[in-house]
Amino acid sequence: MLRLIDATVGKWVRHTLFILIRSYYALFYNVSCSGKHLLQTDHGTLILATHVSRHDGPLISAILYSTKRIRPTVHYDEYYHWMQWLPMWIGSAIPMSSPKSWPDERRAARKQQTLRVIHRVLDNGNCVLLFPAGMARRQPQEIIAPGLSGLHDILRSKPDTPVVLLRLDGLGQFQRATHDLFWSFLGRTKGRRHVSVAITPLTDLDPDLPLPAFNARLEELLNTPITDDL
């Protein structure tokens, strides 16, 4: 029954919501995106994205909506926040992590449940959007906390999962802000902010590495400028 509701009413609600979100970003941001075809050639792709601002999740989901269904991952506290739960649910977000106050056994069970959901989504041919750093940047570079192991666990349990790297530029507070003249007819000198999204295949992230080395390599990849080759 839930699947039927999701495929009918849920699909129309998501479609309407993402049209509104995409219209917002079209009006106030000049977004270019390269590499979207990679999501169409591979099924069940894991998208690893830089996290430069609070706009990242909605913007990425909106611009890729017509390419592939994207299931974003969000922190447990954000998903169940009373002001955010409804849009998170409509957008089919996947909550990750768990409250630190929970017993270790309950946290471990929650982690295994999340892994099962993610792999089920990937097996169904949909994409999962994950921000490896866990939170929006509070510094110029992407920093992965030593204990974050979600991505490591996902790839270790299924190493053949297709993975792409998505890097955002021009959106964060530590990135250069360039504007066009879209709103110049209203007398505004600043128009839409230019945002670049680059999607590239990622084949050299070895899940067999120990967690510290794995996170160090991932951190290096996330901080590679868009203009550089991986």
Side-chain angles (χ1 to χ4, degrees):
M1 188 58 164
L2 289 176
R3 288 186 179 182
L4 178 62
I5 294 174
D6 180 72
T8 53
V9 178
K11 186 175 182 179
W12 279 101
V13 172
R14 283 194 301 272
H15 193 69
T16 302
L17 177 65
F18 282 115
I19 285 176
L20 294 174
I21 295 174
R22 189 160 183 167
S23 298
Y24 168 81
Y25 284 112
L27 286 172
F28 299 105
Y29 294 86
N30 188 347
V31 184
S32 63
C33 182
S34 63
K36 288 199 292 185
H37 64 282
L38 296 172
L39 304 180
Q40 294 174 311
T41 54
D42 288 327
H43 296 284
T45 302
L46 186 61
I47 304 171
L48 310 182
T50 54
H51 205 351
V52 300
S53 80
R54 60 184 177 84
H55 288 279
D56 299 346
L59 184 143
I60 292 170
S61 297
I63 64 172
L64 297 180
Y65 178 71
S66 58
T67 304
K68 204 77 170 179
R69 184 174 181 186
I70 308 295
R71 296 282 302 272
T73 58
V74 296
H75 193 274
Y76 183 92
D77 291 339
E78 292 186 12
Y79 183 91
Y80 288 105
H81 191 282
W82 69 274
M83 292 184 65
Q84 299 183 162
W85 178 83
L86 183 59
M88 292 287 186
W89 181 73
I90 293 174
S92 302
I94 303 172
M96 294 189 72
S97 189
S98 57
K100 293 182 178 180
S101 59
W102 284 9
D104 292 341
E105 295 80 5
R106 187 180 179 188
R107 297 196 71 190
R110 175 69 187 184
K111 187 174 188 178
Q112 291 304 313
Q113 179 188 357
T114 302
L115 286 174
R116 286 194 295 270
V117 170
I118 289 174
H119 284 304
R120 185 168 67 246
V121 170
L122 295 172
D123 290 340
N124 288 336
N126 298 316
C127 295
V128 172
L129 173 64
L130 191 146
F131 298 100
M135 63 176 64
R137 290 184 194 174
R138 297 175 181 174
Q139 65 286 319
Q141 298 293 313
E142 223 50 37
I143 296 178
I144 301 176
L148 289 181
S149 62
L151 175 61
H152 193 240
D153 295 331
I154 293 169
L155 293 182
R156 286 193 63 152
S157 59
K158 195 172 182 182
D160 59 343
T161 301
V163 183
V164 297
L165 185 66
L166 187 152
R167 288 170 292 171
L168 286 156
D169 187 38
L171 188 62
Q173 62 173 320
F174 297 103
Q175 296 177 331
R176 180 180 177 183
T178 306
H179 298 80
D180 62 20
L181 299 176
F182 185 82
W183 296 106
S184 60
F185 68 96
L186 295 178
R188 292 189 57 180
T189 56
K190 287 186 178 181
R192 300 174 303 175
R193 183 167 177 169
H194 287 270
V195 178
S196 297
V197 179
I199 302 173
T200 52
L202 187 55
T203 58
D204 59 346
L205 188 60
D206 186 1
D208 290 330
L209 289 172
L211 182 60
F214 179 88
N215 282 346
R217 174 57 180 156
L218 179 58
E219 196 173 280
E220 178 186 352
L221 292 168
L222 292 171
N223 288 311
T224 302
I226 289 178
T227 54
D228 292 354
D229 294 329
L230 294 177

